[in-house]
Amino acid sequence: MEAKRLKGLTYNCFMYMMAKGMLNDQNNTIKGLASFIYILTVNEGCSRQEMEDCVVYFFEEYSRGLSTPLPESYVRSTIAPAVLTERNFDVPLGASIYAIATKKY
């Protein structure tokens, strides 16, 4: 997948989750993002690298609201493994986020 498309879809995912208040709780954030990535991968055949990049793009957006942005190295070494090993997917939620992300991209 083109990096531009992946960034755009991830941005739309972030905006949806922010609007729904899903970023206020770490568990909801991880579950929502993991569910989105699962559906994204099923529909678009993302590689492991693209899944990790999706997490990085998501937390780049998240970091814009922080006084000290999260370093990419921290996101790749700590947050990405937590998201990508999450197995408690909410498939309907992931499908909803994916549908909205693709409509707005």
Side-chain angles (χ1 to χ4, degrees):
M1 174 184 313
E2 285 184 23
K4 181 179 176 182
R5 176 168 169 74
L6 185 59
K7 284 182 182 182
L9 294 173
T10 303
Y11 173 80
N12 291 342
C13 168
F14 174 82
M15 294 303 288
Y16 174 85
M17 289 177 63
M18 183 177 66
K20 293 293 184 178
M22 297 176 68
L23 305 180
N24 298 331
D25 176 86
Q26 179 181 357
N27 291 329
N28 285 338
T29 302
I30 290 173
K31 185 176 183 176
L33 182 55
S35 298
F36 168 73
I37 291 172
Y38 173 77
I39 297 298
L40 180 68
T41 300
V42 166
N43 285 295
E44 305 213 14
C46 294
S47 68
R48 177 72 179 190
Q49 183 64 50
E50 289 168 328
M51 292 187 291
E52 185 176 305
D53 290 346
C54 184
V55 175
V56 170
Y57 300 149
F58 184 92
F59 281 95
E60 281 177 359
E61 290 301 324
Y62 182 87
S63 285
R64 292 176 196 254
L66 303 177
S67 58
T68 304
L70 297 170
E72 182 178 334
S73 59
Y74 175 76
V75 173
R76 287 193 186 275
S77 68
T78 304
I79 298 174
V83 172
L84 299 179
T85 58
E86 175 65 42
R87 293 295 171 238
N88 187 21
F89 301 124
D90 184 334
V91 173
L93 173 63
S96 294
I97 297 171
Y98 176 77
I100 289 166
T102 55
K103 282 182 187 176
K104 294 188 176 190
Y105 181 77

XYZ file of all heavy atoms in Angstrom:
833
model
N 0.844 -1.166 0.000
C 0.000 0.000 0.000
C 0.897 1.240 0.000
O 1.926 1.259 0.670
C -0.891 -0.020 1.246
C -1.713 1.218 1.431
S -2.699 1.304 2.947
C -3.473 -0.271 3.006
N 0.478 2.249 -0.720
C 1.223 3.509 -0.733
C 1.215 4.133 0.659
O 0.201 4.102 1.358
C 0.562 4.503 -1.677
C 0.767 4.267 -3.125
C 0.140 5.383 -3.946
O -0.048 6.507 -3.423
O -0.172 5.117 -5.103
N 2.335 4.717 1.032
C 2.434 5.370 2.342
C 1.412 6.495 2.468
O 0.812 6.685 3.534
C 3.849 5.901 2.566
N 1.179 7.210 1.377
C 0.211 8.317 1.412
C -1.188 7.807 1.757
O -1.895 8.419 2.563
C 0.196 9.028 0.057
C -0.745 10.201 -0.002
C -0.704 10.871 -1.370
C -1.730 11.982 -1.425
N -1.762 12.631 -2.728
N -1.589 6.695 1.158
C -2.906 6.130 1.444
C -2.977 5.647 2.891
O -3.951 5.892 3.593
C -3.231 4.985 0.487
C -4.558 4.299 0.800
C -5.001 3.367 -0.311
N -6.112 2.520 0.058
C -7.376 2.909 0.177
N -7.696 4.156 -0.060
N -8.321 2.060 0.525
N -1.932 4.959 3.342
C -1.910 4.457 4.709
C -1.981 5.613 5.711
O -2.727 5.543 6.685
C -0.669 3.604 4.952
C -0.577 2.915 6.306
C -1.766 1.987 6.541
C 0.727 2.146 6.421
N -1.246 6.678 5.450
C -1.293 7.855 6.333
C -2.683 8.473 6.341
O -3.191 8.859 7.399
C -0.272 8.905 5.891
C 1.140 8.585 6.258
C 2.077 9.699 5.832
C 3.511 9.340 6.152
N 4.440 10.427 5.790
N -3.295 8.572 5.168
C -4.634 9.156 5.079
C -5.675 8.340 5.820
O -6.498 8.890 6.564
N -5.643 7.035 5.646
C -6.587 6.163 6.347
C -6.362 6.215 7.851
O -7.317 6.250 8.636
C -6.479 4.725 5.829
C -6.914 4.502 4.383
C -6.599 3.077 3.950
C -8.387 4.812 4.192
N -5.097 6.226 8.252
C -4.774 6.281 9.676
C -5.205 7.617 10.281
O -5.732 7.656 11.398
C -3.271 6.034 9.896
O -2.924 4.781 9.314
C -2.926 6.022 11.367
N -5.013 8.693 9.551
C -5.461 10.004 10.017
C -6.977 9.991 10.237
O -7.472 10.462 11.258
C -5.073 11.087 9.006
C -5.645 12.439 9.349
C -5.039 13.239 10.311
C -6.797 12.912 8.719
C -5.562 14.483 10.641
C -7.328 14.142 9.044
C -6.707 14.928 10.009
O -7.242 16.150 10.334
N -7.710 9.440 9.284
C -9.170 9.365 9.408
C -9.580 8.484 10.586
O -10.540 8.799 11.293
C -9.798 8.869 8.113
C -9.682 9.872 6.993
O -9.440 11.061 7.225
N -9.828 9.415 5.764
N -8.852 7.411 10.811
C -9.099 6.554 11.975
C -8.890 7.363 13.249
O -9.723 7.319 14.161
C -8.155 5.354 11.934
S -8.096 4.379 13.453
N -7.785 8.079 13.326
C -7.492 8.891 14.503
C -8.603 9.909 14.755
O -9.078 10.064 15.882
C -6.146 9.612 14.340
C -5.868 10.568 15.457
C -5.354 10.115 16.666
C -6.147 11.924 15.324
C -5.123 10.995 17.712
C -5.922 12.805 16.365
C -5.408 12.335 17.557
N -9.017 10.609 13.710
C -10.046 11.643 13.861
C -11.366 11.043 14.338
O -12.041 11.618 15.196
C -10.229 12.406 12.549
C -9.006 13.211 12.149
S -8.468 14.401 13.400
C -9.770 15.607 13.277
N -11.722 9.886 13.814
C -12.949 9.213 14.240
C -12.863 8.845 15.717
O -13.779 9.115 16.495
C -13.186 7.959 13.398
C -14.354 7.135 13.871
C -15.645 7.428 13.456
C -14.167 6.066 14.747
C -16.730 6.683 13.895
C -15.241 5.316 15.188
C -16.516 5.624 14.759
O -17.585 4.880 15.207
N -11.744 8.229 16.099
C -11.585 7.794 17.483
C -11.543 8.985 18.436
O -12.093 8.916 19.536
C -10.336 6.915 17.620
C -10.517 5.555 16.968
S -9.037 4.514 17.031
C -8.827 4.310 18.800
N -10.944 10.087 18.009
C -10.910 11.284 18.847
C -12.326 11.834 19.017
O -12.735 12.165 20.127
C -10.003 12.347 18.230
C -9.876 13.583 19.089
S -8.743 14.816 18.430
C -9.602 15.320 16.953
N -13.067 11.908 17.926
C -14.434 12.440 17.984
C -15.338 11.586 18.865
O -16.253 12.108 19.518
C -15.013 12.530 16.572
N -15.085 10.288 18.915
C -15.901 9.373 19.722
C -15.410 9.247 21.162
O -15.953 8.466 21.942
C -15.937 7.979 19.081
C -16.662 7.923 17.765
C -18.131 8.174 17.966
C -18.901 8.025 16.679
N -20.321 8.221 16.849
N -14.360 9.981 21.526
C -13.841 9.947 22.889
C -13.079 8.680 23.228
O -12.890 8.362 24.403
N -12.600 7.985 22.202
C -11.906 6.721 22.429
C -10.457 6.898 22.851
O -9.800 5.928 23.222
C -11.975 5.854 21.169
C -13.388 5.459 20.796
S -13.466 4.538 19.256
C -12.661 3.021 19.771
N -9.962 8.140 22.816
C -8.567 8.382 23.184
C -8.414 8.712 24.658
O -7.305 8.917 25.134
C -7.988 9.514 22.326
C -8.097 9.331 20.817
C -7.476 10.520 20.102
C -7.461 8.041 20.365
N -9.529 8.741 25.376
C -9.500 9.080 26.801
C -9.120 7.898 27.685
O -8.887 8.076 28.874
C -10.860 9.625 27.246
C -11.234 10.895 26.517
O -10.366 11.647 26.105
N -12.515 11.113 26.341
N -9.084 6.717 27.108
C -8.793 5.505 27.867
C -7.815 4.655 27.058
O -8.081 4.337 25.898
C -10.102 4.747 28.131
C -9.883 3.438 28.831
O -9.816 3.437 30.072
O -9.778 2.403 28.136
N -6.715 4.294 27.668
C -5.674 3.537 26.982
C -6.202 2.235 26.392
O -5.870 1.879 25.262
C -4.534 3.244 27.959
C -3.410 2.441 27.375
C -2.308 2.165 28.392
O -2.361 2.625 29.525
N -1.326 1.406 27.986
N -7.037 1.529 27.142
C -7.560 0.255 26.641
C -8.448 0.455 25.414
O -8.376 -0.324 24.464
C -8.332 -0.480 27.742
C -7.421 -0.963 28.843
O -6.262 -1.292 28.629
N -7.936 -0.978 30.065
N -9.290 1.494 25.440
C -10.144 1.787 24.279
C -9.313 2.203 23.077
O -9.644 1.850 21.944
C -11.166 2.873 24.612
C -12.289 2.373 25.475
O -12.579 1.181 25.530
N -12.935 3.285 26.178
N -8.266 2.967 23.323
C -7.400 3.404 22.229
C -6.741 2.199 21.569
O -6.780 2.054 20.342
C -6.323 4.388 22.734
O -6.968 5.503 23.346
C -5.428 4.856 21.608
N -6.156 1.331 22.371
C -5.471 0.160 21.821
C -6.462 -0.771 21.124
O -6.209 -1.238 20.011
C -4.678 -0.581 22.917
C -3.474 0.280 23.329
C -4.219 -1.959 22.443
C -2.694 -0.249 24.506
N -7.590 -1.020 21.761
C -8.585 -1.919 21.169
C -9.132 -1.359 19.853
O -9.254 -2.076 18.865
C -9.729 -2.162 22.146
C -10.734 -3.172 21.652
C -11.783 -3.436 22.709
C -12.763 -4.493 22.266
N -13.719 -4.811 23.328
N -9.452 -0.064 19.832
C -9.975 0.550 18.613
C -8.965 0.535 17.484
O -9.296 0.180 16.347
N -7.728 0.911 17.790
C -6.688 0.927 16.764
C -6.379 -0.489 16.282
O -6.253 -0.723 15.079
C -5.430 1.615 17.291
C -4.265 1.743 16.321
C -4.685 2.442 15.030
C -3.106 2.471 16.983
N -6.280 -1.437 17.201
C -6.015 -2.826 16.814
C -7.152 -3.372 15.949
O -6.907 -4.094 14.971
C -5.825 -3.696 18.053
N -8.387 -3.025 16.273
C -9.541 -3.485 15.495
C -9.508 -2.890 14.092
O -9.776 -3.587 13.104
C -10.839 -3.113 16.203
O -10.912 -3.737 17.469
N -9.178 -1.608 13.995
C -9.039 -0.956 12.693
C -7.946 -1.624 11.874
O -8.141 -1.928 10.690
C -8.750 0.535 12.870
C -8.318 1.219 11.607
C -9.234 1.482 10.603
C -7.000 1.604 11.420
C -8.836 2.105 9.420
C -6.597 2.228 10.257
C -7.515 2.483 9.249
N -6.779 -1.841 12.482
C -5.656 -2.453 11.756
C -6.017 -3.863 11.308
O -5.664 -4.282 10.201
C -4.370 -2.421 12.608
C -3.885 -0.980 12.749
C -3.285 -3.301 12.002
C -2.737 -0.785 13.717
N -6.735 -4.602 12.132
C -7.159 -5.955 11.749
C -8.011 -5.902 10.477
O -7.753 -6.629 9.513
C -7.934 -6.610 12.898
C -8.534 -7.925 12.517
C -7.750 -9.072 12.422
C -9.893 -8.037 12.235
C -8.305 -10.284 12.042
C -10.455 -9.242 11.868
C -9.658 -10.368 11.770
O -10.204 -11.562 11.385
N -9.025 -5.045 10.467
C -9.907 -4.937 9.303
C -9.148 -4.380 8.100
O -9.326 -4.852 6.966
C -11.144 -4.064 9.625
C -11.991 -4.712 10.722
C -11.970 -3.798 8.371
C -12.569 -6.076 10.377
N -8.284 -3.401 8.325
C -7.455 -2.854 7.255
C -6.614 -3.954 6.613
O -6.531 -4.057 5.384
C -6.561 -1.746 7.819
C -5.612 -1.050 6.856
C -6.391 -0.221 5.844
C -4.642 -0.159 7.631
N -6.025 -4.795 7.435
C -5.180 -5.876 6.945
C -5.992 -6.926 6.186
O -5.568 -7.405 5.130
C -4.402 -6.515 8.112
O -3.598 -5.496 8.708
C -3.513 -7.649 7.643
N -7.159 -7.260 6.702
C -8.027 -8.219 6.018
C -8.425 -7.697 4.639
O -8.401 -8.427 3.651
C -9.279 -8.538 6.873
C -10.343 -9.259 6.065
C -8.895 -9.349 8.095
N -8.776 -6.416 4.576
C -9.280 -5.837 3.329
C -8.192 -5.420 2.346
O -8.421 -5.447 1.142
C -10.173 -4.629 3.625
C -11.521 -5.053 4.140
O -12.280 -5.687 3.427
N -11.812 -4.723 5.376
N -7.040 -5.028 2.864
C -6.021 -4.471 1.978
C -4.693 -5.220 2.023
O -3.743 -4.820 1.368
C -5.816 -2.990 2.302
C -7.136 -2.245 2.234
C -7.035 -0.832 1.757
O -5.992 -0.436 1.211
O -8.030 -0.111 1.930
N -4.621 -6.290 2.793
C -3.433 -7.130 2.815
C -2.168 -6.432 3.293
O -1.112 -6.574 2.675
N -2.265 -5.701 4.377
C -1.101 -4.984 4.912
C -0.016 -5.941 5.381
O -0.296 -6.995 5.954
C -1.512 -4.109 6.093
S -2.601 -2.768 5.672
N 1.216 -5.537 5.162
C 2.355 -6.275 5.695
C 2.543 -5.911 7.161
O 1.943 -4.952 7.663
C 3.619 -5.916 4.911
O 3.982 -4.559 5.170
N 3.399 -6.642 7.830
C 3.713 -6.335 9.226
C 4.300 -4.913 9.342
O 3.968 -4.175 10.261
C 4.691 -7.384 9.783
C 5.160 -7.145 11.188
C 4.093 -7.412 12.174
N 4.597 -7.186 13.523
C 3.966 -7.505 14.607
N 2.791 -8.087 14.535
N 4.481 -7.271 15.781
N 5.149 -4.548 8.403
C 5.749 -3.209 8.405
C 4.678 -2.134 8.239
O 4.703 -1.109 8.918
C 6.794 -3.075 7.291
C 7.495 -1.735 7.282
C 8.317 -1.504 8.534
O 9.109 -2.354 8.929
N 8.135 -0.356 9.176
N 3.717 -2.359 7.367
C 2.639 -1.392 7.167
C 1.764 -1.281 8.410
O 1.327 -0.178 8.766
C 1.788 -1.773 5.953
C 2.518 -1.564 4.640
C 1.822 -2.182 3.455
O 1.147 -3.232 3.610
O 1.961 -1.625 2.352
N 1.532 -2.387 9.097
C 0.761 -2.338 10.342
C 1.503 -1.500 11.380
O 0.907 -0.666 12.070
C 0.475 -3.740 10.871
C -0.482 -4.538 10.011
S -0.982 -6.118 10.730
C 0.518 -7.061 10.664
N 2.805 -1.715 11.494
C 3.607 -0.943 12.448
C 3.628 0.536 12.057
O 3.494 1.409 12.910
C 5.037 -1.485 12.497
C 5.898 -0.827 13.544
C 7.271 -1.450 13.647
O 7.362 -2.678 13.850
O 8.255 -0.687 13.520
N 3.750 0.809 10.767
C 3.728 2.194 10.296
C 2.393 2.854 10.619
O 2.347 4.035 10.971
C 3.990 2.264 8.790
C 5.425 1.923 8.420
O 6.303 1.880 9.315
O 5.668 1.674 7.222
N 1.311 2.098 10.525
C -0.018 2.621 10.861
C -0.038 3.098 12.317
O -0.556 4.176 12.616
C -1.064 1.535 10.616
S -2.759 2.056 10.881
N 0.529 2.312 13.206
C 0.596 2.693 14.623
C 1.428 3.967 14.774
O 1.040 4.894 15.498
C 1.167 1.549 15.492
C 1.345 1.995 16.938
C 0.286 0.305 15.410
N 2.540 4.039 14.067
C 3.401 5.231 14.139
C 2.647 6.457 13.636
O 2.654 7.510 14.286
C 4.708 5.013 13.343
C 5.490 6.319 13.207
C 5.561 3.948 14.025
N 1.963 6.342 12.503
C 1.203 7.477 11.958
C 0.106 7.914 12.930
O -0.127 9.101 13.122
C 0.579 7.136 10.612
C 1.556 6.748 9.531
C 1.200 5.842 8.543
C 2.847 7.277 9.479
C 2.078 5.476 7.536
C 3.739 6.901 8.483
C 3.353 6.008 7.514
O 4.234 5.641 6.523
N -0.559 6.934 13.541
C -1.616 7.238 14.505
C -1.059 8.050 15.673
O -1.617 9.074 16.058
C -2.246 5.939 15.014
C -3.414 6.133 15.930
C -4.704 6.169 15.432
C -3.235 6.255 17.300
C -5.797 6.347 16.272
C -4.311 6.433 18.150
C -5.594 6.475 17.634
N 0.054 7.594 16.218
C 0.617 8.277 17.387
C 1.367 9.560 17.021
O 1.588 10.394 17.894
C 1.425 7.315 18.247
C 0.516 6.472 19.095
C 0.118 5.219 18.675
C -0.016 6.970 20.273
C -0.775 4.467 19.428
C -0.904 6.229 21.030
C -1.283 4.967 20.614
N 1.703 9.752 15.761
C 2.193 11.060 15.326
C 1.070 12.084 15.472
O 1.293 13.195 15.957
C 2.664 11.018 13.870
C 4.026 10.421 13.674
C 4.418 10.332 12.201
O 3.614 10.727 11.305
O 5.528 9.862 11.932
N -0.123 11.707 15.049
C -1.287 12.593 15.199
C -1.594 12.815 16.677
O -1.837 13.931 17.107
C -2.513 12.019 14.484
C -2.419 12.029 12.982
C -2.222 13.417 12.398
O -2.789 14.394 12.924
O -1.484 13.528 11.407
N -1.580 11.745 17.436
C -1.848 11.825 18.873
C -0.861 12.774 19.556
O -1.240 13.579 20.405
C -1.761 10.419 19.473
C -2.063 10.340 20.932
C -3.368 10.187 21.380
C -1.045 10.404 21.876
C -3.654 10.105 22.734
C -1.314 10.325 23.230
C -2.621 10.167 23.657
O -2.899 10.093 25.002
N 0.389 12.696 19.153
C 1.444 13.501 19.781
C 1.313 14.989 19.507
O 1.876 15.803 20.239
C 2.819 13.027 19.303
O 3.153 11.807 19.925
N 0.580 15.356 18.474
C 0.409 16.776 18.173
C -0.276 17.511 19.325
O -0.109 18.706 19.478
C -0.382 16.967 16.882
C 0.371 16.523 15.665
C -0.486 16.649 14.419
N 0.080 15.886 13.346
C 0.710 16.413 12.314
N 0.847 17.715 12.221
N 1.197 15.641 11.375
N -1.040 16.772 20.128
C -1.723 17.374 21.261
C -0.942 17.317 22.561
O -1.432 17.741 23.604
N 0.256 16.807 22.516
C 1.081 16.670 23.721
C 2.140 17.766 23.771
O 2.645 18.199 22.744
C 1.776 15.305 23.732
C 0.878 14.072 23.653
C 1.732 12.813 23.600
C -0.077 14.020 24.831
N 2.495 18.179 24.977
C 3.557 19.180 25.103
C 4.907 18.588 24.702
O 5.768 19.287 24.178
C 3.609 19.730 26.526
O 3.818 18.690 27.447
N 5.098 17.311 24.957
C 6.307 16.609 24.533
C 5.873 15.428 23.661
O 5.308 14.455 24.176
C 7.103 16.080 25.747
O 7.384 17.165 26.620
C 8.385 15.420 25.310
N 6.100 15.512 22.347
C 5.678 14.427 21.459
C 6.346 13.096 21.807
O 7.472 13.063 22.315
C 6.125 14.896 20.077
C 6.311 16.370 20.204
C 6.713 16.608 21.629
N 5.631 12.015 21.531
C 6.189 10.676 21.744
C 7.242 10.413 20.668
O 6.962 10.578 19.475
C 5.091 9.624 21.635
C 3.972 9.695 22.669
C 2.834 8.760 22.282
C 4.509 9.344 24.033
N 8.435 9.987 21.052
C 9.453 9.674 20.049
C 9.038 8.458 19.213
O 8.443 7.511 19.730
C 10.702 9.351 20.865
C 10.426 9.830 22.245
C 8.942 9.858 22.413
N 9.350 8.501 17.926
C 9.019 7.379 17.051
C 9.639 6.082 17.558
O 9.022 5.022 17.480
C 9.477 7.656 15.619
C 9.097 6.527 14.670
C 9.493 6.775 13.237
O 9.608 7.939 12.821
O 9.684 5.772 12.527
N 10.847 6.155 18.099
C 11.505 4.950 18.604
C 10.692 4.319 19.737
O 10.574 3.095 19.824
C 12.927 5.264 19.079
O 12.901 6.236 20.109
N 10.102 5.146 20.585
C 9.260 4.643 21.679
C 7.986 4.021 21.122
O 7.559 2.950 21.568
C 8.922 5.773 22.652
C 7.950 5.353 23.731
C 8.373 4.566 24.798
C 6.613 5.727 23.671
C 7.483 4.165 25.779
C 5.717 5.332 24.641
C 6.152 4.548 25.702
O 5.274 4.142 26.666
N 7.395 4.680 20.152
C 6.169 4.142 19.551
C 6.460 2.782 18.915
O 5.716 1.823 19.121
C 5.576 5.126 18.519
C 4.396 4.498 17.782
C 5.143 6.421 19.204
N 7.561 2.680 18.178
C 7.897 1.408 17.504
C 8.287 0.307 18.492
O 7.932 -0.849 18.297
C 9.017 1.616 16.494
C 8.570 2.360 15.253
C 9.590 2.287 14.136
N 9.195 3.118 13.007
C 8.374 2.739 12.041
N 7.861 1.530 12.050
N 8.068 3.559 11.053
N 8.991 0.670 19.557
C 9.490 -0.358 20.476
C 8.503 -0.746 21.572
O 8.569 -1.860 22.099
C 10.805 0.097 21.120
O 10.569 1.196 21.990
N 7.580 0.145 21.922
C 6.701 -0.112 23.060
C 5.219 -0.138 22.678
O 4.514 -1.093 23.006
C 6.930 0.947 24.154
O 8.323 0.942 24.503
C 6.101 0.655 25.384
N 4.759 0.896 21.999
C 3.326 0.994 21.704
C 2.918 0.049 20.575
O 1.906 -0.653 20.687
C 2.926 2.445 21.393
C 3.201 3.334 22.612
C 1.455 2.521 21.000
C 2.984 4.812 22.378
N 3.684 0.034 19.490
C 3.325 -0.824 18.351
C 3.202 -2.295 18.756
O 2.204 -2.941 18.407
C 4.306 -0.652 17.202
N 4.145 -2.843 19.518
C 3.966 -4.245 19.931
C 2.705 -4.458 20.769
O 2.034 -5.490 20.624
C 5.232 -4.542 20.746
C 6.249 -3.603 20.220
C 5.479 -2.348 19.889
N 2.360 -3.496 21.608
C 1.137 -3.628 22.427
C -0.099 -3.649 21.541
O -1.016 -4.460 21.746
C 1.044 -2.486 23.437
N -0.126 -2.776 20.544
C -1.283 -2.721 19.642
C -1.331 -3.965 18.752
O -2.390 -4.577 18.592
C -1.244 -1.437 18.775
C -2.326 -1.471 17.695
C -1.395 -0.195 19.653
N -0.205 -4.339 18.197
C -0.186 -5.426 17.215
C -0.308 -6.816 17.826
O -0.553 -7.778 17.109
C 1.063 -5.319 16.339
C 1.162 -4.013 15.539
C 2.444 -3.979 14.727
C -0.062 -3.816 14.654
N -0.157 -6.917 19.146
C -0.379 -8.219 19.795
C -1.746 -8.288 20.471
O -2.109 -9.331 21.015
C 0.723 -8.533 20.825
O 0.757 -7.500 21.809
C 2.076 -8.692 20.151
N -2.497 -7.191 20.432
C -3.862 -7.170 20.985
C -4.725 -8.144 20.182
O -4.749 -8.118 18.968
C -4.442 -5.756 20.900
C -5.882 -5.642 21.326
C -6.101 -5.950 22.802
O -5.296 -5.507 23.639
O -7.088 -6.634 23.105
N -5.417 -9.024 20.879
C -6.255 -10.019 20.202
C -7.724 -9.875 20.563
O -8.556 -10.642 20.112
C -5.771 -11.440 20.528
C -4.409 -11.733 19.952
C -4.450 -11.719 18.431
N -3.119 -11.783 17.864
C -2.606 -10.870 17.045
N -3.291 -9.818 16.714
N -1.394 -10.990 16.575
N -8.048 -8.878 21.342
C -9.430 -8.639 21.738
C -10.064 -7.650 20.751
O -10.403 -6.536 21.099
C -9.468 -8.084 23.172
C -10.873 -7.982 23.700
O -11.781 -8.647 23.216
N -11.067 -7.130 24.681
N -10.160 -8.104 19.483
C -10.694 -7.234 18.439
C -12.186 -7.033 18.597
O -12.908 -7.934 18.990
C -10.467 -7.837 17.050
C -9.037 -8.101 16.709
C -8.632 -9.358 16.332
C -8.098 -7.081 16.754
C -7.322 -9.612 16.003
C -6.780 -7.325 16.427
C -6.386 -8.586 16.051
N -12.613 -5.853 18.243
C -14.032 -5.546 18.092
C -14.231 -5.392 16.590
O -14.033 -4.313 16.035
C -14.379 -4.267 18.855
C -15.860 -3.940 18.812
O -16.545 -4.359 17.859
O -16.326 -3.242 19.731
N -14.584 -6.498 15.939
C -14.671 -6.506 14.484
C -15.684 -5.485 13.966
O -15.374 -4.738 13.032
C -14.939 -7.936 13.950
C -15.188 -7.931 12.457
C -13.760 -8.846 14.294
N -16.893 -5.385 14.543
C -17.824 -4.360 14.048
C -17.268 -2.934 14.192
O -17.442 -2.109 13.295
C -19.074 -4.554 14.905
C -19.013 -5.984 15.342
C -17.547 -6.265 15.519
N -16.589 -2.657 15.298
C -15.984 -1.338 15.487
C -14.898 -1.104 14.438
O -14.865 -0.048 13.796
C -15.387 -1.198 16.886
C -14.591 0.079 17.146
C -15.482 1.307 17.019
C -13.926 0.011 18.517
N -14.021 -2.070 14.268
C -12.953 -1.944 13.267
C -13.510 -1.740 11.870
O -13.004 -0.918 11.104
N -14.586 -2.465 11.549
C -15.217 -2.333 10.232
C -15.844 -0.954 10.075
O -15.775 -0.346 8.995
C -16.247 -3.426 10.036
N -16.445 -0.434 11.134
C -17.041 0.910 11.082
C -15.971 1.971 10.865
O -16.133 2.874 10.037
C -17.800 1.220 12.370
O -18.912 0.394 12.505
N -14.898 1.868 11.618
C -13.810 2.837 11.481
C -13.220 2.760 10.067
O -12.992 3.784 9.419
C -12.714 2.628 12.548
C -13.269 2.860 13.948
C -11.519 3.551 12.287
C -12.328 2.468 15.072
N -13.008 1.538 9.585
C -12.453 1.349 8.246
C -13.383 1.937 7.182
O -12.933 2.634 6.269
C -12.210 -0.137 7.986
C -11.722 -0.435 6.590
C -10.410 -0.192 6.236
C -12.591 -0.936 5.629
C -9.952 -0.463 4.943
C -12.141 -1.206 4.330
C -10.832 -0.964 4.009
O -10.397 -1.211 2.734
N -14.676 1.683 7.304
C -15.646 2.213 6.327
C -15.629 3.731 6.294
O -15.638 4.355 5.234
C -17.044 1.688 6.640
N -15.583 4.339 7.453
C -15.539 5.805 7.536
C -14.204 6.325 7.010
O -14.156 7.311 6.270
C -15.804 6.277 8.975
C -17.291 6.023 9.309
C -15.443 7.744 9.174
C -17.624 6.128 10.760
N -13.123 5.659 7.366
C -11.786 6.094 6.922
C -11.675 6.047 5.407
O -11.093 6.941 4.800
C -10.711 5.234 7.571
N -12.236 5.018 4.783
C -12.113 4.906 3.327
C -13.043 5.873 2.605
O -12.728 6.324 1.516
C -12.388 3.465 2.853
O -13.664 3.031 3.308
C -11.311 2.517 3.329
N -14.171 6.211 3.194
C -15.090 7.175 2.563
C -14.490 8.575 2.547
O -14.723 9.338 1.629
C -16.431 7.215 3.312
C -17.323 6.070 2.993
C -18.637 6.215 3.727
C -19.470 4.957 3.523
N -20.704 5.010 4.292
N -13.763 8.904 3.584
C -13.227 10.254 3.700
C -11.847 10.373 3.077
O -11.256 11.446 3.104
C -13.160 10.662 5.175
C -14.537 10.790 5.787
C -14.459 11.364 7.165
C -15.858 11.579 7.699
N -15.844 12.343 8.915
N -11.337 9.276 2.542
C -10.010 9.354 1.920
C -10.161 9.311 0.415
O -10.802 8.518 -0.163
C -9.093 8.213 2.397
C -7.747 8.319 1.766
C -6.830 9.249 2.231
C -7.398 7.526 0.692
C -5.590 9.378 1.623
C -6.163 7.655 0.084
C -5.277 8.573 0.552
O -4.040 8.714 -0.046
